[in-house]
Amino acid sequence: MKIVSIVGARPQFIKAATVTRILRTDSDIQEILLHTGQHYDKNMSGIFFEELNIPEPDYNLEVGSGSHAQQTGLMLQGIEEILLKEKPDITLVYGDTNSTLAGSLASTKLHIPLAHVEAGLRSFNRKMPEEINRIVTDSISDLLFAPTYTAIENLKKEGLEKITTFTGDVMYDSVLHFQTKILLDPGLYTIQGIPQKYLLATIHRAENTDNPENLKNIFAAFSKLPYEIVLPLHPRTRKFIESINFTDHHIHFIDPVGYLPMLNLIMNSEKVLTDSGGLQKEAYFLNKPCITLRTETEWVETLHDDWNIIAGSDPEQIVNAVNRPLPAAPRKNAFGDGHAAEIIREKLVGFSF
Ligand code: UD1
Ligand code: UDP
């Protein structure tokens, strides 16, 4: 069978690395990899292909940055052309970015079956562009791969249970796979020049970067914390920080790093502060308490026993959350058994057209 897999943004390279590796163990599957070019800087795209051994994309649309409509429109046009040429049996999309949305729309309009990895996530906040992308993608998919039972429940409520499979989370597969590699030689993945004891932070969500007030509040909280902070900067956040000439000796701003150095940074941190979906989960998988710099999370499983605390951009809540004692109870496993990608492969192969 022929599958066109569509990726475009950083978290999709990480998810696809695991799924692609497993799909390509089946000689009956021919996978065509389509990169929309939504992310294009070397450290937002190329490094992941290199370090995670993701095959070179068969196509790169190089759409780059733009407004939602511009970016999605360009992708739609480019993806349609490729789907018409390749005539796949199925299109595979990941997560909730504009690349996901464009891939989903282009595919279903051509009556090509659509499968969605990381289906059923809901923040119930329709102001988030990702929420719209997820709702549309799930509603027009033919196969939904749900990473958690909460996702299954969300899909049930939308009448989509018949096409849904619980797979577990491919990002959990990924952490298990690559953690072993890091532990064999951690020195290879260590970032030089960062403090011994630190909090790891990332910020890139529109609600924080497009709202100077929120970002200023977050930095105000950071300056009160009893640790230094290491913050790999998403280009979107870097632009804002440079525009206001912000500096704080307490915060070590570094360029975005590769996936293995990032996992290593999490493993050696005291706690994680983030508005990233992926990082909330990785902190949980790696037994690090997380403070979420948003007012809600899709990953509600991580909230038990304060393993993850929702603090938004409120300085007091952020400081209180960081100062909380470590969780007493061990984390639970709600993200599958590390074989999500294998389940996805079996369901794709067994799909009847
Ligand atoms: C996108 C996804 C978001 C995901 C994030 C992962 C959507 C709507 N959002 O957000 O769900 O969490 O990716 O990181 O799809 N830029 C560069 N170089 C790059 C890429 C981006 O400089 O290689 C800058 C550009 O100024 C661009 C901005 O970052 O305008 C935002 O990029 P974009 O891809 O539109 O959205 P993200 O914020 O990255
Ligand atoms: N990540 C990375 N380098 C960085 C920042 C993040 O490899 O400098 C990884 C992170 O470990 C996770 C993924 O990127 O696997 C999360 O992507 P991001 O936060 O951009 O998007 P989200 O998950 O919020 O959609």
Side-chain angles (χ1 to χ4, degrees), residues 200-221:
L200 177 67
T202 73
I203 306 168
H204 76 277
R205 289 275 161 206
E207 70 204 62
N208 287 327
T209 54
D210 293 1
N211 182 337
E213 212 44 49
N214 279 3
L215 204 55
K216 281 182 188 157
N217 280 338
I218 290 172
F219 286 138

Side-chain angles (χ1 to χ4, degrees), residues 81-337:
E81 248 174 60
I82 292 161
L83 292 178
L84 282 169
K85 180 171 158 218
E86 292 291 346
K87 297 185 180 43
D89 298 300
I90 202 152
T91 305
L92 189 59
V93 293
Y94 293 87
D96 54 17
T97 72
N98 288 345
S99 299
T100 319
L101 177 68
S104 307
L105 287 175
S107 182
T108 43
K109 291 255 177 153
L110 293 173
H111 306 159
I112 298 167
L114 177 69
H116 184 204
V117 175
E118 209 176 80
L121 273 294
R122 297 290 180 269
S123 63
F124 304 102
N125 172 1
R126 289 204 178 201
K127 292 226 167 86
M128 272 183 92
E130 293 84 0
E131 183 77 350
I132 307 302
N133 296 344
R134 297 170 188 140
I135 292 171
V136 173
T137 297
D138 286 340
S139 71
I140 59 179
S141 285
D142 298 277
L143 270 178
L144 295 173
F145 299 130
T148 61
Y149 283 104
T150 308
I152 301 251
E153 286 308 310
N154 291 336
L155 293 167
K156 263 189 196 162
K157 285 183 199 139
E158 293 172 27
L160 295 167
E161 70 268 33
K162 282 212 178 85
I163 57 166
T164 298
T165 304
F166 173 78
T167 55
D169 197 315
V170 295
M171 288 187 80
Y172 184 50
D173 296 15
S174 192
V175 165
L176 293 181
H177 183 80
F178 289 107
Q179 186 186 15
T180 319
K181 194 168 169 187
I182 297 167
L183 290 172
L184 281 175
D185 198 348
L188 273 181
Y189 309 105
T190 300
I191 307 288
Q192 300 305 316
I194 58 163
Q196 276 261 300
K197 243 184 158 183
Y198 61 89
L199 301 171
L200 177 67
T202 73
I203 306 168
H204 76 277
R205 289 275 161 206
E207 70 204 62
N208 287 327
T209 54
D210 293 1
N211 182 337
E213 212 44 49
N214 279 3
L215 204 55
K216 281 182 188 157
N217 280 338
I218 290 172
F219 286 138
F222 283 7
S223 68
K224 294 187 188 128
L225 295 175
Y227 298 96
E228 293 186 67
I229 292 162
V230 174
L231 201 162
L233 264 183
H234 189 290
R236 168 178 202 134
T237 321
R238 178 175 288 286
K239 278 190 187 144
F240 181 75
I241 285 177
E242 285 175 354
S243 76
I244 58 165
N245 280 327
F246 180 84
T247 51
D248 181 341
H249 67 276
H250 195 64
I251 309 175
H252 299 252
F253 292 115
I254 60 174
D255 286 333
V257 299
Y259 177 67
L260 298 179
M262 191 63 184
L263 290 188
N264 202 28
L265 274 174
I266 301 172
M267 285 154 72
N268 292 311
S269 68
E270 300 299 313
K271 293 187 178 184
V272 171
L273 296 114
T274 191
D275 58 10
S276 157
L279 211 66
Q280 287 175 62
K281 290 186 287 177
E282 287 163 349
Y284 189 71
F285 301 153
L286 294 166
N287 289 304
K288 293 293 168 183
C290 180
I291 293 93
T292 291
L293 306 171
R294 287 178 48 199
T295 49
E296 75 269 313
T297 181
E298 300 78 20
W299 304 105
V300 291
E301 290 78 5
T302 60
L303 295 173
H304 78 93
D305 293 305
D306 288 349
W307 277 99
N308 186 7
I309 298 172
I310 304 283
S313 57
D314 181 85
E316 200 182 322
Q317 285 196 45
I318 295 172
V319 173
N320 287 344
V322 170
N323 289 331
R324 287 265 257 281
L326 292 176
R331 65 171 183 82
K332 299 174 188 162
N333 188 7
F335 294 88
D337 61 1

